Amino acid sequence: MTEINPINAGRRGVLIAGALSATAAAVPGVAGAAQAVNTASVSPPPVLMKVNLDINGRRHSLELDTRTTLLDALREHLHLTGTKKGCDHGQCGACTVMLDGQRINACLTLAVMHDGARVTTIEGLGTPEKLHPMQTAFIAHDGYQCGYCTPGQICSAVAALGEIRQGIPSHASADLNAAPSVTPEELRERMSGNLCRCGAYSNIIDAITEVAGRPA
């Protein structure tokens, strides 16, 4: 018959008792943590707000989650998918539209901030039957390849020429008191916020230069 060493038995009992105590202490904590996770996962209901927007000459009344960007309002609620979602961080320019005549990254602003504003997207510049001069120039100069960034490029180009006509200087303007001139350096600076992954930059500048040379 195997004899049990009292010392080993005592040590075993201590270890078992310690493990049971640790488990008992941990269980309420685990349960509490799980309850906290479940509570945190329950999101509050969205806050809705009515907003009126004049988009491409048409009035739209929307009721939106206050967290909805102008980009998502255009694409997801009005189905104007010409405006593209690229980086969604305001770094690529694919979502450029014109807000009250000024270009803006639609992904960086909330729709409810612009109640009553006038928005022009690529769909509002021209149609397949009657293209905007900038659209015609982009085609003539092959100012795109994949075309994903092209709507933002064209909206930005139209607005950039508007800035030049208004005498608004850029970082490339040599004399801040003189009317900006249409030079490749000037246009590259003004279009620097619009990225083209295909690298059609030189053709884009050629297209904008052509339109700039036409009577306004």
Side-chain angles (χ1 to χ4, degrees):
M1 183 175 180
T2 304
E3 294 184 0
I4 299 176
N5 190 323
I7 297 178
N8 293 335
R11 184 183 297 114
R12 188 182 300 110
V14 170
L15 293 175
I16 293 173
L20 292 175
S21 299
T23 302
V27 168
V30 171
Q35 184 177 3
V37 169
N38 291 334
T39 302
S41 64
V42 178
S43 301
V47 177
L48 302 179
M49 182 179 293
K50 292 184 178 180
V51 59
N52 296 301
L53 296 170
D54 183 334
I55 301 175
N56 300 328
R58 294 183 59 187
R59 198 71 173 173
H60 295 271
S61 295
L62 303 171
E63 188 172 23
L64 301 172
D65 185 328
T66 54
R67 299 167 294 184
T68 303
T69 64
L70 178 59
L71 174 59
D72 285 337
L74 293 171
R75 289 181 56 83
E76 306 301 332
H77 294 266
L78 297 175
H79 308 295
L80 295 172
T81 55
T83 304
K84 302 305 181 186
K85 178 175 286 195
C87 66
D88 213 21
H89 286 78
Q91 297 175 349
C92 72
C95 67
T96 303
V97 298
M98 287 178 281
L99 181 74
D100 292 330
Q102 302 295 319
R103 52 183 168 162
I104 188 173
N105 288 329
C107 73
L108 290 184
T109 188
L110 299 176
V112 296
M113 296 170 60
H114 304 290
D115 186 41
R118 177 172 50 90
V119 180
T120 303
T121 70
I122 190 65
E123 291 91 345
L125 283 180
T127 64
E129 296 77 22
K130 187 177 180 181
L131 295 175
H132 186 279
M134 191 66 73
Q135 293 172 311
T136 301
F138 264 66
I139 294 172
H141 290 276
D142 198 19
Y144 55 87
Q145 288 187 36
C146 78
Y148 192 85
C149 73
T150 305
Q153 296 275 4
I154 291 175
C155 285
S156 189
V158 171
L161 292 186
E163 294 166 5
I164 292 175
R165 287 193 295 270
Q166 296 173 53
I168 300 174
S170 76
H171 290 295
S173 301
D175 185 352
L176 297 182
N177 297 315
S181 59
V182 181
T183 63
E185 293 75 22
E186 185 75 35
L187 294 178
R188 288 192 197 100
E189 167 62 27
R190 292 181 186 270
M191 294 295 294
S192 61
N194 291 81
L195 303 183
C196 174
R197 304 298 186 188
C198 300
Y201 293 115
S202 60
N203 296 349
I204 290 170
I205 295 300
D206 290 342
I208 301 173
T209 302
E210 178 185 321
V211 176
R214 301 175 186 174

